[in-house]
Amino acid sequence: MAANAIDQTRRLLSLVTYLRERPGARVDEVARAFGITPDELISDLHVLPMCGTSFRGGDLLDIDTDGEHIWWHNAEASDSTGEPLRLAADEATALLVAARAVATLPGLRAGDREALLRATAKLETAAGENAGASSRLSVTFESEGGVFADVDRAIAERRRLWLRYYSPARDELTEREVDPVRLFVLGHTYMEAWCRLSEARRTFRLDRVAEIRLLDEPADPPSVTPRDLSEGLVQPSADDPEVVVEVGPGGRWVAEYYPHDSAEELPDGGLRITLRTPDPASLRRLALRLGQDGRITAPSELADSARRAAQAALAAYDH
């Protein structure tokens, strides 16, 4: 499996050349050649049809699979010996804005930044007047952009990371060293890593990283099978404690965002939601967020804890 986004991009580019020379290639053989699983290869093949020489779709790669073989129906359209690539004004503008934005990412390797700047300069020359429009546009990354760059670099260079990380369940900042394994996106951007503090695999949301530093120590995470995220990030177990939350009409969104066992309609238009979680205490923040739109009813000790947290919050406002 690719260690990071850069590795996946390189693999996708290599796949184009590989598949062009092997019409009807077998899925299992291609996966073995690239050192990935067939499922990961199929996922790559879902991305390739969105690539091509035009944003408008006429020259996109027409690649599909029946699960056993891979077929490229317009391979001749990607022949580099054909006409030179021509960019429309909007295509040139989008490409230049994106290139300049990526070049500003903190943590980007010097060689990659220099190569990107050289390519951008060539694009500006080729775009001519169209380059002027792009110079009036700019993109700023969210605060997690720098964290992403450091994590991506740590994965590529197999280096350990030091973090100051905010844990919402305990409402505290902790310091820890981690060996990063991979980056992935599920609504937010996450890092899966081996945490040296807890001696276990942990998932960290990048926008909750308060501070990050690359260490000289090499990363050496234990060999673990990457989590299956097809069912989402939170996958409660049948053995996890059961929690019951009653919400009014304004709190029905909880059933949409939290995996649950059941959601029973209430007379006032609300719901009685039964869910499971390995850390029931983390739901105290949900109770505070709901306010008058909901409450925890079971287990009783969790309901009491949420009530005390609400009283403490109100007392803080009084002060």
Side-chain angles (χ1 to χ4, degrees), residues 56-288:
R56 293 172 173 76
D59 300 317
L60 296 182
L61 306 182
D62 185 6
I63 296 177
D64 65 25
T65 177
D66 58 6
E68 294 185 6
H69 295 85
I70 304 169
W71 306 101
W72 187 349
H73 302 294
N74 64 342
E76 66 285 347
S78 67
D79 191 344
S80 60
T81 62
E83 295 184 1
L85 175 63
R86 298 182 184 278
L87 295 176
D90 58 339
E91 294 174 327
T93 298
L95 194 55
L96 285 168
V97 169
R100 293 188 187 115
V102 172
T104 66
L105 273 175
L108 191 65
R109 289 186 288 275
D112 292 338
R113 193 188 309 277
E114 292 171 3
L116 183 57
L117 291 174
R118 288 195 300 271
T120 303
K122 293 179 180 178
L123 279 172
E124 289 172 341
T125 300
E129 294 180 358
N130 295 333
S134 67
S135 65
R136 295 190 291 271
L137 300 173
S138 64
V139 174
T140 43
F141 289 95
E142 296 178 1
S143 59
E144 70 182 46
V147 176
F148 180 97
D150 284 339
V151 174
D152 188 67
R153 180 179 175 186
I155 292 172
E157 298 179 4
R158 300 183 182 277
R159 291 169 62 181
R160 188 168 296 175
L161 288 166
W162 173 87
L163 307 175
R164 288 183 70 238
Y165 186 76
Y166 173 68
S167 175
R170 296 187 295 274
D171 193 24
E172 65 179 8
L173 283 167
T174 59
E175 296 183 11
R176 60 187 76 203
E177 293 184 5
V178 303
D179 292 343
V181 176
R182 63 168 172 168
L183 285 160
F184 62 90
V185 178
L186 279 175
H188 296 276
T189 307
Y190 296 87
M191 167 181 62
E192 189 171 11
W194 183 262
C195 177
R196 295 290 167 177
L197 178 65
S198 58
E199 287 298 319
R201 177 169 53 184
R202 291 289 185 265
T203 301
F204 302 93
R205 222 172 87 174
L206 297 198
D207 61 351
R208 291 177 179 164
V209 176
E211 190 176 351
I212 187 170
R213 186 166 65 245
L214 273 79
L215 302 178
D216 292 332
E217 289 89 345
D220 185 26
S223 178
V224 293
T225 302
R227 293 176 55 191
D228 179 6
L229 301 171
S230 59
E231 299 299 325
L233 181 62
V234 180
Q235 301 171 28
S237 164
D239 298 328
D240 290 339
E242 186 178 271
V243 178
V244 179
V245 182
E246 291 187 358
V247 301
R252 293 179 67 94
W253 58 266
V254 174
E256 300 177 9
Y257 286 91
Y258 285 80
H260 55 276
D261 294 339
S262 64
E264 177 187 347
E265 293 283 348
L266 296 177
D268 64 353
L271 294 172
R272 179 179 293 111
I273 303 168
T274 302
L275 54 86
R276 297 181 183 276
T277 173
D279 183 16
S282 64
L283 293 180
R284 282 198 302 265
R285 293 179 63 82
L286 171 62
L288 293 174

